[in-house]
Amino acid sequence: MASLTSISQSHTLLKKPNFTPSIPHNLSSSFTPRDFLFSKTQSFKLPQMASRSYVVSASTTETPRKRYPGGAKGFVEEMRFVAMKLHTKEQAKEGEKEVKQPEEHSVPKWEPSIDGYLKFLVDSKLVYDTLESIIDKAAFPIYAEFRNTGLERSEKLAKDLQWFEEQGYAIPEPSSPGITYAEYLKEISDKDPQAFICHFYNTYFAHSAGGRMIGKKVAQQILNNRELEFYKWDGDLSQLLQNVRDKLNKVAESWTRDEKNHCLEETEKSFKHSGEILRLILS
């Protein structure tokens, strides 16, 4: 493939009425699902309990329960909230991230290359192959809940790479960002289901929103507006996403608060690995 123009912005595209989607120019914000914006990693603290007043009668005492932003709507909303905080104000109104590293600043001009885009697609396929293999094998029973969701991307990417090959392009081998991320996913999937679910959620939901914007920009610049299979879904995408969102909320109902927090804390690593793969487009 040849070139691409900016990176998309978020998860909230489909859902947040006060959010105006735009395509940021910095590579630190990569695919961005409806439930979050995508950016380079930043440390964060989980939300603290807001103070509340309680009326205590002579016979009963109400014990305050710690509340987490979005918790009343389900755990997926908590994941979205944490992810939003990892963005700059430029990327999202809820963002709190401060731009500190040179690579976090806006890119003056997007000049993707066909070689770089192919590297991105190949590494993305490796990651989706790994995620879908882990789900299929289901080392933990909860993984089986996410088989055949309709969000799977591996076969779609295989068709796209075949198309590029038919056009005369050489398909590269997976590179370090994809290999490193795939190995990490295998490692955590066998021992840390909460961490793995965080990566599962971020990867699929991000691609369904921000990833589609990236695909559209690439198609406009270098593919004569050809839409790749990577950016197509069979069926109503919004319903497919809602089905998975419901499953994620259901699975998290059995988790302790510590397990939920552990899942949320893994968001940074998910952004880091996916951001490294995204930056291959400009290589």
Side-chain angles (χ1 to χ4, degrees):
M1 194 135 198
S3 63
L4 163 70
T5 68
S6 351
I7 293 304
S8 88
Q9 221 158 306
S10 175
H11 236 26
T12 40
L13 304 174
L14 309 177
K15 188 171 181 182
K16 302 277 294 178
N18 62 347
F19 176 73
T20 302
S22 61
I23 305 226
H25 299 290
N26 62 318
L27 280 178
S28 63
S29 81
S30 88
F31 311 13
T32 49
R34 135 183 172 166
D35 296 281
F36 65 81
L37 293 174
F38 207 120
S39 89
K40 187 177 176 70
T41 143
Q42 173 198 16
S43 60
F44 66 92
K45 295 182 179 180
L46 292 175
Q48 300 298 313
M49 178 178 70
S51 60
R52 294 183 60 184
S53 298
Y54 293 88
V55 177
V56 181
S57 68
S59 58
T60 62
T61 301
E62 181 180 358
T63 302
R65 293 181 61 190
K66 188 171 185 178
R67 296 200 176 255
Y68 291 79
K73 298 181 181 179
F75 185 62
V76 170
E77 183 65 11
E78 291 190 43
M79 298 172 82
R80 186 202 68 81
F81 176 85
V82 169
M84 292 291 285
K85 295 300 180 183
L86 293 179
H87 289 73
T88 65
K89 288 292 184 183
E90 180 184 21
Q91 295 168 336
K93 292 180 180 180
E94 299 173 63
E96 295 182 353
K97 177 183 177 181
E98 295 181 5
V99 177
K100 297 179 180 180
Q101 302 300 322
E103 63 268 25
E104 296 174 349
H105 289 280
S106 297
V107 177
K109 186 177 181 180
W110 260 87
E111 295 181 345
S113 68
I114 187 166
D115 289 340
Y117 194 66
L118 282 171
K119 290 178 183 177
F120 163 74
L121 293 175
V122 167
D123 278 31
S124 294
K125 183 177 183 301
L126 177 60
V127 170
Y128 283 104
D129 285 347
T130 302
L131 285 166
E132 287 157 29
S133 175
I134 290 169
I135 291 297
D136 186 57
K137 293 177 181 177
F140 289 89
I142 61 172
Y143 296 169
E145 294 290 327
F146 303 101
R147 291 174 180 158
N148 303 315
T149 62
L151 299 184
E152 291 80 13
R153 299 290 87 196
S154 184
E155 291 185 8
K156 300 285 189 180
L157 280 163
K159 291 180 180 178
D160 288 332
L161 292 172
Q162 181 181 356
W163 179 82
F164 276 104
E165 192 169 22
E166 291 170 352
Q167 308 311 304
Y169 295 110
I171 307 302
E173 293 296 318
S175 59
S176 179
I179 293 172
T180 300
Y181 194 16
E183 288 302 315
Y184 180 70
L185 290 171
K186 292 176 185 176
E187 178 185 345
I188 62 173
S189 67
D190 286 335
K191 61 183 180 182
D192 195 340
Q194 284 76 31
F196 175 75
I197 289 297
C198 177
H199 289 268
F200 171 89
Y201 162 79
N202 288 340
T203 301
Y204 285 99
F205 277 68
H207 179 64
S208 72
R212 293 162 66 195
M213 295 178 69
I214 293 172
K216 182 177 180 179
K217 288 295 181 180
V218 171
Q220 291 173 345
Q221 285 195 319
I222 62 173
L223 291 179
N224 293 321
N225 287 314
R226 176 186 176 85
E227 184 180 15
L228 296 183
E229 295 299 315
F230 190 28
Y231 307 102
K232 298 178 183 178
W233 285 262
D234 299 323
D236 179 36
L237 177 57
S238 62
Q239 187 59 55
L240 295 175
L241 291 170
Q242 187 57 49
N243 292 343
V244 174
R245 199 176 286 113
D246 291 342
K247 288 177 181 289
L248 287 165
N249 283 332
K250 184 67 175 179
V251 164
E253 286 178 1
S254 65
W255 293 352
T256 65
R257 186 66 250 176
D258 285 345
E259 288 172 331
K260 289 180 179 179
N261 287 350
H262 178 60
C263 178
L264 297 175
E265 289 161 357
E266 192 71 13
T267 305
E268 296 182 73
K269 291 181 181 178
S270 175
F271 284 8
K272 174 181 179 294
H273 286 293
S274 296
E276 289 172 352
I277 292 175
L278 176 70
R279 284 188 284 276
L280 289 171
I281 297 175
L282 297 185
S283 64

